[in-house]
Amino acid sequence: MSDVVATNDTEALDSRLEKYRTELTGYCYRMLGSAFEAEDAVQDTMVRAWRSIDSFEGRSSLRSWLYRIATNVCLDSLNAGNRRARPMDLTAATPVAQAQLNARPEITWLEPVPDGRVLPSVADPAETAVSRETVRLAFVAALQHLPPKQRAVLILREVLAWKASEVAELLGSTVASVNSALQRARATLAENEPTASDTVDPLDEDQKELLERYVAAFEGYDMKALTALLHEDATMSMPPYDLWLRGHDDIVGWMLGVGEVCSGSKLVPTVANGSPAFAQYHPDPAGGYSPWALIVLELSDGKIGEMTFFLDTKRWFPLFGLPERLEA
């Protein structure tokens, strides 16, 4: 299909632009670390594309042109000083005896994202695996250590498999400069290497059983059963608090101490960041269950390596299309 766009056919133009919304959102999410900022960036991209469509002459593909606009939108945002983090990016793990819930409002936290917003449907299983792996919380957190342009280069080259010449044209740079930026980005990423995770698309029978046992242990508040599912050095964090815990003893100590309020909760399965996730609902004194946390799990070597409890449910539950409450 030709990339020359008929500007007088509004419906056709809308359709052509919308075709790229999901993959552009995935790109902007990897750049910005925020589901909401990514969607805003893509909307800004679409508006800019509409306004300047008359100047698009088809010399590059429509897709490349949209990525150029989206990259500029993201770089403008990142140059304003935005950088997102997880609790483990800021402090060392806290022994449970010293654990305190300290909110750090000055920190811009890394945000979860529904898979459907950022992972376009593709037929190639290998491409699907790369897409899921590169929206994992640990991977997106590692990207946050890169300067903005290096981040763009690495995502375009290694995630989206663009050629160096294509990236150079998009950034108005040279192939040598792109290759140099990629080399520096790889070195930085190696110093902040994301933890490994198992492939979970689709879930195999062992993974399904692992998640079923997790639900049973959590809802039953059975700490012996829960720790049997966790790696010995598993981590637990709770944004927007900077506290994070590592290891069975500290996690169980927390769950049976301050975390005891989670007893009696119900879990509803969902997916986030290419990983299994659960909406946690807490017993409501008025009856039924009210939102408490979005739990994102990382699986590795047949066990759970990370549990991230995102507590700002007023933001996350509507984004994920989760019920406002559960009846008894």
Side-chain angles (χ1 to χ4, degrees):
M1 183 183 293
S2 170
D3 273 310
V4 177
V5 180
T7 60
N8 59 348
D9 189 339
T10 301
E11 190 173 329
L13 178 56
D14 272 340
S15 177
R16 294 290 301 282
L17 295 178
E18 283 298 318
K19 183 173 72 170
Y20 299 104
R21 183 176 289 275
T22 302
E23 65 172 284
L24 285 170
T25 305
Y27 173 61
C28 293
Y29 174 73
R30 294 177 181 96
M31 286 288 289
L32 302 173
S34 162
F36 295 104
E37 286 187 6
E39 292 195 341
D40 287 346
V42 172
Q43 191 57 35
D44 192 0
T45 297
M46 297 299 185
V47 170
R48 293 189 190 190
W50 254 105
R51 288 175 177 167
S52 56
I53 195 67
D54 288 336
S55 65
F56 176 70
E57 299 173 349
R59 291 185 195 144
S60 62
S61 71
L62 179 62
R63 180 174 183 256
S64 297
W65 185 61
L66 289 171
Y67 268 91
R68 181 181 298 115
I69 298 171
T71 299
N72 288 332
V73 171
C74 290
L75 292 178
D76 286 346
S77 177
L78 291 168
N79 287 336
N82 295 346
R83 179 194 160 190
R84 295 187 172 268
R86 299 194 300 167
M88 48 277 291
D89 299 321
L90 305 174
T91 64
T94 305
V96 70
Q98 302 168 21
Q100 293 182 334
L101 288 176
N102 298 315
R104 293 176 63 163
E106 77 280 6
I107 297 300
T108 310
W109 297 105
L110 184 67
E111 296 180 353
V113 69
D115 284 11
R117 301 286 184 108
V118 294
L119 297 177
S121 300
V122 293
D124 184 352
E127 190 176 337
T128 300
V130 170
S131 294
R132 295 179 71 88
E133 174 69 18
T134 57
V135 295
R136 286 177 52 225
L137 290 171
F139 185 86
V140 178
L143 289 176
Q144 302 295 300
H145 293 278
L146 300 176
K149 282 198 174 179
Q150 285 185 28
R151 199 179 306 181
V153 167
L154 186 130
I155 296 168
L156 290 165
R157 291 281 285 118
E158 306 236 309
V159 177
L160 300 176
W162 285 40
K163 297 176 182 176
S165 57
E166 294 172 328
V167 178
E169 182 181 355
L170 181 145
L171 294 175
S173 183
T174 64
V175 170
S177 178
V178 165
N179 287 335
S180 176
L182 179 60
Q183 188 174 9
R184 294 196 303 274
R186 284 172 174 166
T188 302
L189 214 58
E191 294 172 2
N192 301 278
E193 189 172 5
T195 54
S197 69
D198 294 339
T199 300
V200 294
D201 182 35
L203 291 167
D204 62 31
E205 292 305 314
D206 289 342
Q207 291 168 335
K208 290 177 183 176
E209 181 186 2
L210 174 64
L211 296 177
E212 288 169 1
R213 290 170 62 196
Y214 178 81
V215 171
F218 196 99
E219 292 186 345
Y221 227 64
D222 183 339
M223 292 300 109
K224 183 177 180 181
L226 182 65
T227 54
L229 308 177
L230 304 178
H231 283 289
E232 288 188 11
D233 62 349
T235 63
M236 175 179 172
S237 59
M238 294 160 280
Y241 299 110
D242 61 6
L243 171 72
W244 67 283
L245 306 160
R246 184 191 296 278
H248 289 177
D249 290 345
D250 284 337
I251 289 174
V252 170
W254 176 267
M255 297 286 278
L256 294 178
V258 177
E260 182 74 30
V261 293
C262 289
S263 178
S265 293
K266 297 293 183 186
L267 300 185
V268 174
T270 184
V271 286
N273 294 80
S275 303
F278 293 93
Q280 178 191 350
Y281 291 84
H282 185 266
D284 191 325
Y289 299 84
S290 54
W292 187 262
L294 176 73
I295 308 171
V296 182
L297 304 180
E298 289 276 4
L299 310 185
S300 61
D301 297 326
K303 289 196 170 185
I304 296 168
E306 292 184 16
M307 299 185 291
T308 306
F309 290 71
F310 290 97
L311 301 178
D312 190 356
T313 57
K314 289 182 179 179
R315 283 170 67 81
W316 309 132
F317 278 41
L319 179 68
F320 281 77
L322 294 163
E324 291 184 6
R325 59 180 289 106
L326 298 180
E327 299 305 321

